[in-house]
Amino acid sequence: LETRGHCDRPVPLRRPSMEGLGAHRFWGASPALDLLAQLDAASPAAPEADDREINLLLVDPGDIRHVVKTLAGLRREGRPRRKVKIHLFDNTLECHARHLLLLAVLTDWSVPIHRRANTFLEIFGNTQVQEKTEAYIAELGSALVRFVCDEKGSLRRLVDLSQLKHRDVDGIEKILKSWQTSVPFEMGELRDRRLRALYGQRYDGRAGLADWDYQDCVKKSASVVHARQYRHWRETGIAFEFGDQTYPLPNRSMASYAQGKENGRSRIRRGFWGDVVMSPYFALGVDCEQPNRFARELFQVLNKGTATEQHRHTAVHVAVYNIVAWLHEIETGRPYRMKREHDVYSGLDQRTSEQVNAGPAAQEKGATDHHAFAMECANSILELKDLATVVLLSGDTFESAILAKPRFHNKFDLVWLSNHQAHHLKEPALAKLLCDGDAVVPRPLVLAEAARNLVPLKPEQREQFAERLPELAATTGLQRLAEPAPAVGSPNFLSFTAKKI
């Protein structure tokens, strides 16, 4: 069986033990990285400010987590001011359409940060959404059609589509139009079919299988993911819930096409072909920066060492904190700091708060403060667009679209490979993608995502995966760099360089 994207491009389905991860991955399997910080940490000397643009390549990341975290830290105090171009390669056009949608949500500056963060997570990780979110996806889909066709909208100057073929642009346009609420899509039924096909005769015992996966992998890797939340997501596909909201309508951004054989004939079907076993928590909800004790307390464990040990917060709180922190830093240029314990929104600027009960003088001062804050955010956003560009790349395979093209040789300062593309470490052409080190980036890097959070694998297989990557890299002259060792289990990623250490 193989699957195809909207433009009839083949995408191989994973082997049977990995089928639960899906043919199309809509989220990654490891926490977000600030890619410029990774380059700085690997450099033997402090990088210098220069007009040279830094080029980063992400291969099948599944989402935009690395992009957003890198953009958030781009203007951080103490770092040299540098221009960066982030190239996103995905061979599935549905993923590119999702990248555009999630970037459009984050750059909808008319929506307050806390609401934007909640909406982002709802679209990012829930197969079913609220009625207002369904309408919002359709609205953004129409706006993105104008961007794709006429380069109009909030993503102008931030996203570059010039490297896509015309057929790919047309394919993305069709996908965006399919998000209208008038287009039928029975997400609940389609996801249940996936579960029945995956579990087979064990379907009625799926709750026990989910609990086994939680104890065997999820809890060991990231105990902040609560067992009840994980089991609920496995059963319903809903990962992020806020308040007493209900989520009855389909998230059409997770629809995609698959090709397989039925009664001996090749058929293409629209359905849900995403992850049903790993969860979106690993991408955004298991790690965050911890600038003060309030952030560190997001991982506080109550009754530690007893039979009733549990986390005070959950992966949902951590995910919300991450999105709020990144948006705050993008809009203000300042790192985000919580001001009260257990309140992930407490670090947001209060100059925009309503002054309904204040007197005329206070209201006038509040309006002045609001205008000043809005202008500060607008200037920060314009500066970001001057410094950063996200380039979408597509093709049948990574080999044919990138590795085999001489124009990409000696181009990238950093290449990030997802765990299902990590086997390319053995390709001599991979090292050719890296540029020579200079004063701006003294040591170019290759980062390979490990299998730490791949639920279908056994613990020993995850360890073997991490052990195998340096062996593959050594065959092409890449040398491993030391990265912080995890407290438990294998690392989330491994770092390599082509320069002599």
Side-chain angles (χ1 to χ4, degrees), residues 460-491:
E460 59 270 21
Q461 291 176 314
R462 299 179 203 118
E463 296 287 346
Q464 291 167 3
F465 190 102
E467 293 170 359
R468 180 61 175 153
L469 294 182
E471 298 174 6
L472 295 177
T475 63
T476 55
L478 294 173
Q479 302 177 63
R480 184 178 178 182
L481 296 175
E483 58 274 325
V488 178
S490 59

Short mmCIF file of all heavy atoms in Angstrom, two decimals, residues 460-491:
data_model
loop_
_atom_site.label_atom_id
_atom_site.label_comp_id
_atom_site.label_asym_id
_atom_site.label_seq_id
_atom_site.Cartn_x
_atom_site.Cartn_y
_atom_site.Cartn_z
N GLU A 460 14.17 -1.11 23.46
CA GLU A 460 15.48 -1.44 22.92
C GLU A 460 15.64 -0.96 21.48
O GLU A 460 16.75 -0.62 21.04
CB GLU A 460 15.74 -2.94 23.01
CG GLU A 460 14.73 -3.82 22.29
CD GLU A 460 13.57 -4.24 23.15
OE1 GLU A 460 13.31 -3.54 24.16
OE2 GLU A 460 12.92 -5.25 22.81
N GLN A 461 14.53 -0.90 20.73
CA GLN A 461 14.61 -0.40 19.36
C GLN A 461 14.88 1.10 19.34
O GLN A 461 15.60 1.59 18.46
CB GLN A 461 13.30 -0.71 18.63
CG GLN A 461 13.09 -2.18 18.35
CD GLN A 461 11.74 -2.45 17.70
OE1 GLN A 461 10.70 -1.94 18.14
NE2 GLN A 461 11.73 -3.27 16.66
N ARG A 462 14.32 1.83 20.29
CA ARG A 462 14.60 3.27 20.36
C ARG A 462 16.07 3.51 20.68
O ARG A 462 16.70 4.42 20.12
CB ARG A 462 13.70 3.93 21.41
CG ARG A 462 12.22 3.79 21.10
CD ARG A 462 11.35 4.44 22.17
NE ARG A 462 10.02 3.84 22.15
CZ ARG A 462 9.47 3.18 23.15
NH1 ARG A 462 10.11 3.08 24.31
NH2 ARG A 462 8.28 2.63 23.03
N GLU A 463 16.61 2.72 21.58
CA GLU A 463 18.04 2.85 21.92
C GLU A 463 18.91 2.48 20.72
O GLU A 463 19.89 3.17 20.42
CB GLU A 463 18.37 1.94 23.10
CG GLU A 463 17.67 2.29 24.40
CD GLU A 463 18.21 3.54 25.06
OE1 GLU A 463 19.31 4.00 24.65
OE2 GLU A 463 17.54 4.07 25.97
N GLN A 464 18.56 1.43 20.03
CA GLN A 464 19.33 1.00 18.87
C GLN A 464 19.29 2.04 17.75
O GLN A 464 20.28 2.23 17.04
CB GLN A 464 18.81 -0.35 18.36
CG GLN A 464 19.09 -1.51 19.30
CD GLN A 464 18.29 -2.76 18.94
OE1 GLN A 464 17.55 -2.78 17.94
NE2 GLN A 464 18.42 -3.80 19.76
N PHE A 465 18.15 2.71 17.60
CA PHE A 465 18.02 3.76 16.60
C PHE A 465 19.05 4.86 16.86
O PHE A 465 19.76 5.29 15.95
CB PHE A 465 16.61 4.33 16.64
CG PHE A 465 16.27 5.26 15.51
CD1 PHE A 465 15.50 4.82 14.45
CD2 PHE A 465 16.71 6.57 15.50
CE1 PHE A 465 15.17 5.67 13.40
CE2 PHE A 465 16.40 7.44 14.47
CZ PHE A 465 15.63 6.98 13.40
N ALA A 466 19.13 5.31 18.12
CA ALA A 466 20.08 6.37 18.48
C ALA A 466 21.53 5.90 18.31
O ALA A 466 22.40 6.69 17.93
CB ALA A 466 19.84 6.83 19.91
N GLU A 467 21.79 4.64 18.58
CA GLU A 467 23.15 4.11 18.43
C GLU A 467 23.55 3.97 16.96
O GLU A 467 24.73 4.08 16.61
CB GLU A 467 23.25 2.75 19.12
CG GLU A 467 23.10 2.82 20.65
CD GLU A 467 22.96 1.45 21.28
OE1 GLU A 467 22.96 0.45 20.52
OE2 GLU A 467 22.82 1.38 22.52
N ARG A 468 22.56 3.72 16.11
CA ARG A 468 22.85 3.50 14.70
C ARG A 468 23.16 4.79 13.96
O ARG A 468 23.95 4.79 12.99
CB ARG A 468 21.63 2.80 14.07
CG ARG A 468 21.74 2.50 12.59
CD ARG A 468 22.88 1.57 12.26
NE ARG A 468 22.89 1.20 10.86
CZ ARG A 468 23.96 0.85 10.18
NH1 ARG A 468 25.14 0.79 10.79
NH2 ARG A 468 23.88 0.53 8.90
N LEU A 469 22.58 5.90 14.36
CA LEU A 469 22.77 7.16 13.64
C LEU A 469 24.23 7.58 13.52
O LEU A 469 24.68 7.96 12.42
CB LEU A 469 21.93 8.27 14.29
CG LEU A 469 20.41 8.11 14.20
CD1 LEU A 469 19.71 9.31 14.83
CD2 LEU A 469 19.96 7.93 12.76
N PRO A 470 25.04 7.56 14.60
CA PRO A 470 26.46 7.92 14.44
C PRO A 470 27.21 6.99 13.48
O PRO A 470 28.13 7.43 12.79
CB PRO A 470 27.01 7.82 15.86
CG PRO A 470 25.83 7.98 16.75
CD PRO A 470 24.70 7.34 16.01
N GLU A 471 26.81 5.74 13.44
CA GLU A 471 27.46 4.80 12.52
C GLU A 471 27.17 5.19 11.07
O GLU A 471 28.07 5.15 10.21
CB GLU A 471 26.96 3.38 12.79
CG GLU A 471 27.30 2.85 14.18
CD GLU A 471 26.67 1.50 14.45
OE1 GLU A 471 26.08 0.93 13.51
OE2 GLU A 471 26.77 1.01 15.59
N LEU A 472 25.93 5.58 10.80
CA LEU A 472 25.59 6.02 9.44
C LEU A 472 26.33 7.30 9.08
O LEU A 472 26.87 7.44 7.97
CB LEU A 472 24.08 6.25 9.33
CG LEU A 472 23.17 5.04 9.47
CD1 LEU A 472 21.70 5.47 9.40
CD2 LEU A 472 23.46 4.00 8.41
N ALA A 473 26.39 8.24 10.01
CA ALA A 473 27.04 9.52 9.75
C ALA A 473 28.54 9.35 9.51
O ALA A 473 29.12 10.06 8.67
CB ALA A 473 26.79 10.48 10.92
N ALA A 474 29.16 8.43 10.22
CA ALA A 474 30.60 8.24 10.09
C ALA A 474 31.00 7.80 8.68
O ALA A 474 32.11 8.09 8.22
CB ALA A 474 31.09 7.22 11.11
N THR A 475 30.10 7.11 7.98
CA THR A 475 30.42 6.63 6.63
C THR A 475 30.57 7.76 5.64
O THR A 475 31.18 7.58 4.58
CB THR A 475 29.33 5.67 6.13
OG1 THR A 475 28.08 6.37 6.04
CG2 THR A 475 29.18 4.48 7.08
N THR A 476 30.04 8.95 5.96
CA THR A 476 30.14 10.09 5.04
C THR A 476 31.00 11.21 5.62
O THR A 476 30.99 12.33 5.10
CB THR A 476 28.74 10.65 4.73
OG1 THR A 476 28.07 10.97 5.95
CG2 THR A 476 27.92 9.63 3.98
N GLY A 477 31.74 10.93 6.70
CA GLY A 477 32.66 11.92 7.24
C GLY A 477 32.05 12.88 8.23
O GLY A 477 32.73 13.80 8.69
N LEU A 478 30.77 12.70 8.58
CA LEU A 478 30.16 13.55 9.60
C LEU A 478 30.58 13.07 10.98
O LEU A 478 30.61 11.87 11.25
CB LEU A 478 28.64 13.52 9.48
CG LEU A 478 28.04 14.14 8.21
CD1 LEU A 478 26.54 13.88 8.15
CD2 LEU A 478 28.32 15.63 8.14
N GLN A 479 30.88 14.00 11.86
CA GLN A 479 31.34 13.67 13.20
C GLN A 479 30.31 14.14 14.23
O GLN A 479 29.79 15.24 14.13
CB GLN A 479 32.68 14.32 13.49
CG GLN A 479 33.77 13.94 12.49
CD GLN A 479 35.06 14.68 12.77
OE1 GLN A 479 35.66 14.49 13.82
NE2 GLN A 479 35.49 15.50 11.83
N ARG A 480 30.07 13.29 15.22
CA ARG A 480 29.07 13.61 16.22
C ARG A 480 29.61 14.63 17.22
O ARG A 480 30.76 14.56 17.64
CB ARG A 480 28.61 12.35 16.95
CG ARG A 480 27.49 12.62 17.95
CD ARG A 480 27.02 11.36 18.65
NE ARG A 480 25.99 11.67 19.63
CZ ARG A 480 25.42 10.79 20.42
NH1 ARG A 480 25.79 9.51 20.36
NH2 ARG A 480 24.48 11.15 21.29
N LEU A 481 28.72 15.55 17.59
CA LEU A 481 29.01 16.51 18.65
C LEU A 481 28.27 16.08 19.91
O LEU A 481 27.23 15.44 19.85
CB LEU A 481 28.56 17.92 18.25
CG LEU A 481 29.27 18.55 17.04
CD1 LEU A 481 28.61 19.87 16.70
CD2 LEU A 481 30.74 18.76 17.34
N ALA A 482 28.80 16.45 21.04
CA ALA A 482 28.16 16.12 22.30
C ALA A 482 26.95 17.03 22.51
O ALA A 482 27.02 18.23 22.31
CB ALA A 482 29.14 16.27 23.46
N GLU A 483 25.82 16.43 22.89
CA GLU A 483 24.64 17.20 23.26
C GLU A 483 24.24 16.81 24.67
O GLU A 483 24.64 15.76 25.17
CB GLU A 483 23.48 16.95 22.28
CG GLU A 483 23.04 15.51 22.13
CD GLU A 483 23.83 14.75 21.09
OE1 GLU A 483 24.22 15.34 20.07
OE2 GLU A 483 24.07 13.55 21.33
N PRO A 484 23.48 17.66 25.35
CA PRO A 484 23.09 17.34 26.73
C PRO A 484 22.42 15.97 26.82
O PRO A 484 21.51 15.67 26.05
CB PRO A 484 22.13 18.48 27.10
CG PRO A 484 22.47 19.59 26.17
CD PRO A 484 22.94 18.95 24.90
N ALA A 485 22.86 15.15 27.75
CA ALA A 485 22.29 13.81 27.91
C ALA A 485 20.93 13.92 28.60
O ALA A 485 20.78 14.66 29.57
CB ALA A 485 23.23 12.93 28.72
N PRO A 486 19.93 13.19 28.12
CA PRO A 486 18.62 13.22 28.77
C PRO A 486 18.68 12.50 30.11
O PRO A 486 19.52 11.63 30.34
CB PRO A 486 17.72 12.47 27.78
CG PRO A 486 18.65 11.55 27.06
CD PRO A 486 19.96 12.28 26.96
N ALA A 487 17.77 12.88 31.01
CA ALA A 487 17.73 12.25 32.33
C ALA A 487 17.36 10.78 32.22
O ALA A 487 17.83 9.95 32.98
CB ALA A 487 16.74 12.99 33.22
N VAL A 488 16.49 10.47 31.25
CA VAL A 488 16.02 9.09 31.07
C VAL A 488 15.96 8.80 29.58
O VAL A 488 15.52 9.64 28.79
CB VAL A 488 14.62 8.89 31.70
CG1 VAL A 488 14.14 7.46 31.46
CG2 VAL A 488 14.64 9.20 33.19
N GLY A 489 16.37 7.59 29.18
CA GLY A 489 16.18 7.14 27.81
C GLY A 489 17.15 7.74 26.82
O GLY A 489 18.14 8.38 27.17
N SER A 490 16.84 7.55 25.55
CA SER A 490 17.68 8.03 24.46
C SER A 490 17.44 9.52 24.22
O SER A 490 16.42 10.06 24.64
CB SER A 490 17.38 7.22 23.19
OG SER A 490 16.02 7.35 22.83
N PRO A 491 18.35 10.20 23.48
CA PRO A 491 18.18 11.64 23.24
C PRO A 491 17.06 11.92 22.24
O PRO A 491 16.63 11.03 21.50
CB PRO A 491 19.54 12.06 22.68
CG PRO A 491 20.10 10.80 22.07
CD PRO A 491 19.61 9.68 22.93
#
